[in-house]
mmCIF file of all heavy atoms in Angstrom:
data_model
loop_
_atom_site.group_PDB
_atom_site.id
_atom_site.type_symbol
_atom_site.label_atom_id
_atom_site.label_comp_id
_atom_site.label_asym_id
_atom_site.label_seq_id
_atom_site.Cartn_x
_atom_site.Cartn_y
_atom_site.Cartn_z
ATOM 1 N N VAL A 310 12.728 -15.945 -5.044
ATOM 2 C CA VAL A 310 11.457 -16.229 -4.370
ATOM 3 C C VAL A 310 11.009 -17.653 -4.674
ATOM 4 O O VAL A 310 10.584 -18.400 -3.775
ATOM 5 C CB VAL A 310 10.390 -15.208 -4.802
ATOM 6 C CG1 VAL A 310 9.000 -15.664 -4.367
ATOM 7 C CG2 VAL A 310 10.701 -13.837 -4.210
ATOM 8 N N SER A 311 11.108 -18.061 -5.948
ATOM 9 C CA SER A 311 10.688 -19.408 -6.327
ATOM 10 C C SER A 311 11.509 -20.470 -5.606
ATOM 11 O O SER A 311 10.979 -21.515 -5.197
ATOM 12 C CB SER A 311 10.824 -19.575 -7.838
ATOM 13 O OG SER A 311 10.493 -20.889 -8.240
ATOM 14 N N PHE A 312 12.800 -20.215 -5.430
ATOM 15 C CA PHE A 312 13.655 -21.159 -4.698
ATOM 16 C C PHE A 312 13.135 -21.352 -3.276
ATOM 17 O O PHE A 312 13.066 -22.479 -2.771
ATOM 18 C CB PHE A 312 15.093 -20.652 -4.672
ATOM 19 C CG PHE A 312 16.002 -21.467 -3.791
ATOM 20 C CD1 PHE A 312 16.506 -22.683 -4.226
ATOM 21 C CD2 PHE A 312 16.341 -21.027 -2.519
ATOM 22 C CE1 PHE A 312 17.342 -23.444 -3.405
ATOM 23 C CE2 PHE A 312 17.176 -21.767 -1.695
ATOM 24 C CZ PHE A 312 17.678 -22.982 -2.143
ATOM 25 N N GLN A 313 12.744 -20.250 -2.639
ATOM 26 C CA GLN A 313 12.255 -20.347 -1.261
ATOM 27 C C GLN A 313 10.921 -21.080 -1.182
ATOM 28 O O GLN A 313 10.734 -21.940 -0.314
ATOM 29 C CB GLN A 313 12.110 -18.935 -0.666
ATOM 30 C CG GLN A 313 13.417 -18.221 -0.458
ATOM 31 C CD GLN A 313 13.221 -16.815 0.078
ATOM 32 O OE1 GLN A 313 12.937 -16.622 1.259
ATOM 33 N NE2 GLN A 313 13.357 -15.821 -0.784
ATOM 34 N N THR A 314 9.984 -20.736 -2.068
ATOM 35 C CA THR A 314 8.679 -21.389 -2.006
ATOM 36 C C THR A 314 8.785 -22.867 -2.361
ATOM 37 O O THR A 314 8.081 -23.702 -1.781
ATOM 38 C CB THR A 314 7.675 -20.692 -2.939
ATOM 39 O OG1 THR A 314 8.173 -20.680 -4.282
ATOM 40 C CG2 THR A 314 7.417 -19.266 -2.492
ATOM 41 N N THR A 315 9.671 -23.202 -3.288
ATOM 42 C CA THR A 315 9.877 -24.607 -3.647
ATOM 43 C C THR A 315 10.498 -25.371 -2.492
ATOM 44 O O THR A 315 10.112 -26.499 -2.188
ATOM 45 C CB THR A 315 10.769 -24.724 -4.893
ATOM 46 O OG1 THR A 315 10.140 -24.038 -5.976
ATOM 47 C CG2 THR A 315 10.971 -26.187 -5.280
ATOM 48 N N ARG A 316 11.463 -24.741 -1.820
ATOM 49 C CA ARG A 316 12.114 -25.400 -0.688
ATOM 50 C C ARG A 316 11.128 -25.654 0.435
ATOM 51 O O ARG A 316 11.169 -26.694 1.096
ATOM 52 C CB ARG A 316 13.278 -24.538 -0.190
ATOM 53 C CG ARG A 316 14.091 -25.206 0.907
ATOM 54 C CD ARG A 316 15.266 -24.350 1.335
ATOM 55 N NE ARG A 316 14.818 -23.086 1.922
ATOM 56 C CZ ARG A 316 15.652 -22.262 2.576
ATOM 57 N NH1 ARG A 316 16.933 -22.553 2.681
ATOM 58 N NH2 ARG A 316 15.185 -21.137 3.088
ATOM 59 N N ILE A 317 10.237 -24.712 0.647
ATOM 60 C CA ILE A 317 9.216 -24.899 1.681
ATOM 61 C C ILE A 317 8.416 -26.162 1.401
ATOM 62 O O ILE A 317 8.148 -26.975 2.285
ATOM 63 C CB ILE A 317 8.286 -23.679 1.751
ATOM 64 C CG1 ILE A 317 9.028 -22.487 2.362
ATOM 65 C CG2 ILE A 317 7.028 -23.996 2.560
ATOM 66 C CD1 ILE A 317 8.282 -21.174 2.238
ATOM 67 N N LYS A 318 8.045 -26.365 0.129
ATOM 68 C CA LYS A 318 7.238 -27.528 -0.229
ATOM 69 C C LYS A 318 8.067 -28.808 -0.196
ATOM 70 O O LYS A 318 7.633 -29.837 0.334
ATOM 71 C CB LYS A 318 6.652 -27.332 -1.627
ATOM 72 C CG LYS A 318 5.704 -26.144 -1.727
ATOM 73 C CD LYS A 318 5.322 -25.867 -3.167
ATOM 74 C CE LYS A 318 4.499 -24.592 -3.286
ATOM 75 N NZ LYS A 318 4.192 -24.238 -4.694
ATOM 76 N N GLU A 319 9.287 -28.753 -0.735
ATOM 77 C CA GLU A 319 10.101 -29.965 -0.836
ATOM 78 C C GLU A 319 10.545 -30.472 0.527
ATOM 79 O O GLU A 319 10.537 -31.663 0.795
ATOM 80 C CB GLU A 319 11.326 -29.694 -1.708
ATOM 81 C CG GLU A 319 11.007 -29.565 -3.196
ATOM 82 C CD GLU A 319 12.249 -29.326 -4.023
ATOM 83 O OE1 GLU A 319 13.305 -29.044 -3.423
ATOM 84 O OE2 GLU A 319 12.152 -29.409 -5.259
ATOM 85 N N ARG A 320 10.937 -29.577 1.391
ATOM 86 C CA ARG A 320 11.439 -29.977 2.702
ATOM 87 C C ARG A 320 10.346 -30.071 3.748
ATOM 88 O O ARG A 320 10.618 -30.402 4.898
ATOM 89 C CB ARG A 320 12.522 -28.994 3.175
ATOM 90 C CG ARG A 320 13.765 -29.002 2.284
ATOM 91 C CD ARG A 320 14.860 -28.149 2.884
ATOM 92 N NE ARG A 320 16.056 -28.165 2.065
ATOM 93 C CZ ARG A 320 17.179 -27.526 2.361
ATOM 94 N NH1 ARG A 320 17.248 -26.827 3.485
ATOM 95 N NH2 ARG A 320 18.222 -27.568 1.578
ATOM 96 N N ASP A 321 9.149 -29.731 3.331
ATOM 97 C CA ASP A 321 8.026 -29.820 4.255
ATOM 98 C C ASP A 321 8.336 -29.060 5.537
ATOM 99 O O ASP A 321 8.107 -29.532 6.651
ATOM 100 C CB ASP A 321 7.716 -31.284 4.559
ATOM 101 C CG ASP A 321 6.287 -31.467 5.066
ATOM 102 O OD1 ASP A 321 5.508 -30.507 4.959
ATOM 103 O OD2 ASP A 321 5.962 -32.552 5.547
ATOM 104 N N ARG A 322 8.880 -27.839 5.378
ATOM 105 C CA ARG A 322 9.316 -27.078 6.540
ATOM 106 C C ARG A 322 8.162 -26.675 7.442
ATOM 107 O O ARG A 322 8.315 -26.571 8.653
ATOM 108 C CB ARG A 322 10.096 -25.840 6.095
ATOM 109 C CG ARG A 322 11.459 -26.181 5.564
ATOM 110 C CD ARG A 322 12.283 -24.986 5.128
ATOM 111 N NE ARG A 322 11.830 -23.713 5.593
ATOM 112 C CZ ARG A 322 12.658 -22.685 5.826
ATOM 113 N NH1 ARG A 322 13.956 -22.842 5.659
ATOM 114 N NH2 ARG A 322 12.193 -21.521 6.192
ATOM 115 N N ALA A 323 7.005 -26.420 6.847
ATOM 116 C CA ALA A 323 5.868 -26.042 7.682
ATOM 117 C C ALA A 323 5.502 -27.175 8.625
ATOM 118 O O ALA A 323 5.244 -26.973 9.810
ATOM 119 C CB ALA A 323 4.678 -25.666 6.804
ATOM 120 N N ALA A 324 5.472 -28.411 8.094
ATOM 121 C CA ALA A 324 5.176 -29.563 8.950
ATOM 122 C C ALA A 324 6.273 -29.757 9.983
ATOM 123 O O ALA A 324 6.007 -30.154 11.122
ATOM 124 C CB ALA A 324 5.016 -30.824 8.095
ATOM 125 N N ALA A 325 7.522 -29.458 9.600
ATOM 126 C CA ALA A 325 8.623 -29.591 10.559
ATOM 127 C C ALA A 325 8.453 -28.622 11.723
ATOM 128 O O ALA A 325 8.727 -28.958 12.878
ATOM 129 C CB ALA A 325 9.961 -29.350 9.854
ATOM 130 N N LEU A 326 8.000 -27.398 11.426
ATOM 131 C CA LEU A 326 7.770 -26.443 12.508
ATOM 132 C C LEU A 326 6.623 -26.900 13.396
ATOM 133 O O LEU A 326 6.661 -26.737 14.621
ATOM 134 C CB LEU A 326 7.475 -25.057 11.936
ATOM 135 C CG LEU A 326 7.232 -23.957 12.972
ATOM 136 C CD1 LEU A 326 8.416 -23.823 13.914
ATOM 137 C CD2 LEU A 326 6.955 -22.619 12.286
ATOM 138 N N TYR A 327 5.594 -27.485 12.793
ATOM 139 C CA TYR A 327 4.500 -28.025 13.602
ATOM 140 C C TYR A 327 5.040 -29.091 14.560
ATOM 141 O O TYR A 327 4.663 -29.156 15.726
ATOM 142 C CB TYR A 327 3.413 -28.619 12.700
ATOM 143 C CG TYR A 327 2.223 -29.144 13.470
ATOM 144 C CD1 TYR A 327 1.173 -28.300 13.804
ATOM 145 C CD2 TYR A 327 2.170 -30.465 13.899
ATOM 146 C CE1 TYR A 327 0.100 -28.768 14.538
ATOM 147 C CE2 TYR A 327 1.099 -30.935 14.630
ATOM 148 C CZ TYR A 327 0.061 -30.083 14.941
ATOM 149 O OH TYR A 327 -1.003 -30.544 15.674
ATOM 150 N N LYS A 328 5.939 -29.922 14.041
ATOM 151 C CA LYS A 328 6.547 -30.941 14.896
ATOM 152 C C LYS A 328 7.320 -30.293 16.045
ATOM 153 O O LYS A 328 7.313 -30.792 17.173
ATOM 154 C CB LYS A 328 7.480 -31.825 14.073
ATOM 155 C CG LYS A 328 6.772 -32.704 13.050
ATOM 156 C CD LYS A 328 7.771 -33.485 12.215
ATOM 157 C CE LYS A 328 7.064 -34.332 11.164
ATOM 158 N NZ LYS A 328 8.013 -35.094 10.329
ATOM 159 N N ALA A 329 7.982 -29.173 15.751
ATOM 160 C CA ALA A 329 8.727 -28.483 16.801
ATOM 161 C C ALA A 329 7.795 -27.977 17.895
ATOM 162 O O ALA A 329 8.109 -28.059 19.085
ATOM 163 C CB ALA A 329 9.516 -27.324 16.195
ATOM 164 N N LEU A 330 6.626 -27.458 17.507
ATOM 165 C CA LEU A 330 5.652 -27.019 18.508
ATOM 166 C C LEU A 330 5.199 -28.184 19.374
ATOM 167 O O LEU A 330 4.949 -28.033 20.571
ATOM 168 C CB LEU A 330 4.439 -26.386 17.815
ATOM 169 C CG LEU A 330 4.661 -25.044 17.114
ATOM 170 C CD1 LEU A 330 3.409 -24.656 16.326
ATOM 171 C CD2 LEU A 330 5.016 -23.962 18.117
ATOM 172 N N ALA A 331 5.081 -29.350 18.737
ATOM 173 C CA ALA A 331 4.615 -30.527 19.476
ATOM 174 C C ALA A 331 5.672 -31.090 20.419
ATOM 175 O O ALA A 331 5.377 -31.987 21.216
ATOM 176 C CB ALA A 331 4.178 -31.617 18.490
ATOM 177 N N LEU A 332 6.907 -30.576 20.338
ATOM 178 C CA LEU A 332 7.968 -31.066 21.220
ATOM 179 C C LEU A 332 7.839 -30.544 22.642
ATOM 180 O O LEU A 332 8.495 -31.056 23.552
ATOM 181 C CB LEU A 332 9.336 -30.659 20.663
ATOM 182 C CG LEU A 332 9.823 -31.422 19.420
ATOM 183 C CD1 LEU A 332 11.116 -30.811 18.923
ATOM 184 C CD2 LEU A 332 10.004 -32.899 19.724
ATOM 185 N N LEU A 333 7.024 -29.498 22.854
ATOM 186 C CA LEU A 333 6.846 -29.000 24.208
ATOM 187 C C LEU A 333 6.334 -30.127 25.109
ATOM 188 O O LEU A 333 5.388 -30.829 24.748
ATOM 189 C CB LEU A 333 5.863 -27.830 24.223
ATOM 190 C CG LEU A 333 6.349 -26.526 23.582
ATOM 191 C CD1 LEU A 333 5.215 -25.515 23.537
ATOM 192 C CD2 LEU A 333 7.541 -25.958 24.343
ATOM 193 N N PRO A 334 6.917 -30.318 26.253
ATOM 194 C CA PRO A 334 6.504 -31.435 27.121
ATOM 195 C C PRO A 334 5.018 -31.358 27.489
ATOM 196 O O PRO A 334 4.501 -30.274 27.784
ATOM 197 C CB PRO A 334 7.385 -31.264 28.362
ATOM 198 C CG PRO A 334 8.552 -30.461 27.892
ATOM 199 C CD PRO A 334 8.039 -29.552 26.827
ATOM 200 N N ASP A 335 4.351 -32.499 27.452
ATOM 201 C CA ASP A 335 2.921 -32.537 27.778
ATOM 202 C C ASP A 335 2.645 -32.038 29.186
ATOM 203 O O ASP A 335 1.573 -31.489 29.455
ATOM 204 C CB ASP A 335 2.387 -33.965 27.624
ATOM 205 C CG ASP A 335 2.358 -34.414 26.167
ATOM 206 O OD1 ASP A 335 2.345 -33.537 25.280
ATOM 207 O OD2 ASP A 335 2.348 -35.634 25.929
ATOM 208 N N GLU A 336 3.590 -32.222 30.080
ATOM 209 C CA GLU A 336 3.365 -31.845 31.480
ATOM 210 C C GLU A 336 3.666 -30.370 31.748
ATOM 211 O O GLU A 336 3.481 -29.902 32.882
ATOM 212 C CB GLU A 336 4.202 -32.729 32.407
ATOM 213 C CG GLU A 336 5.707 -32.599 32.240
ATOM 214 C CD GLU A 336 6.266 -33.539 31.166
ATOM 215 O OE1 GLU A 336 5.462 -34.093 30.399
ATOM 216 O OE2 GLU A 336 7.499 -33.697 31.125
ATOM 217 N N LEU A 337 4.112 -29.628 30.741
ATOM 218 C CA LEU A 337 4.424 -28.216 30.941
ATOM 219 C C LEU A 337 3.135 -27.439 31.170
ATOM 220 O O LEU A 337 2.220 -27.477 30.356
ATOM 221 C CB LEU A 337 5.156 -27.662 29.713
ATOM 222 C CG LEU A 337 5.853 -26.303 29.863
ATOM 223 C CD1 LEU A 337 7.004 -26.411 30.853
ATOM 224 C CD2 LEU A 337 6.359 -25.811 28.507
ATOM 225 N N PRO A 338 3.016 -26.700 32.277
ATOM 226 C CA PRO A 338 1.755 -26.015 32.597
ATOM 227 C C PRO A 338 1.420 -24.923 31.576
ATOM 228 O O PRO A 338 2.307 -24.314 30.964
ATOM 229 C CB PRO A 338 2.007 -25.410 33.982
ATOM 230 C CG PRO A 338 3.161 -26.155 34.539
ATOM 231 C CD PRO A 338 3.998 -26.559 33.373
#
Side-chain angles (χ1 to χ4, degrees):
V310 167
S311 177
F312 173 78
Q313 292 178 76
T314 57
T315 301
R316 185 178 63 169
I317 288 169
K318 297 171 186 176
E319 287 181 348
R320 296 187 179 181
D321 201 12
R322 287 181 16 150
L326 181 57
Y327 182 87
K328 292 176 182 179
L330 291 172
L332 287 175
L333 290 174
D335 291 338
E336 63 272 13
L337 194 66

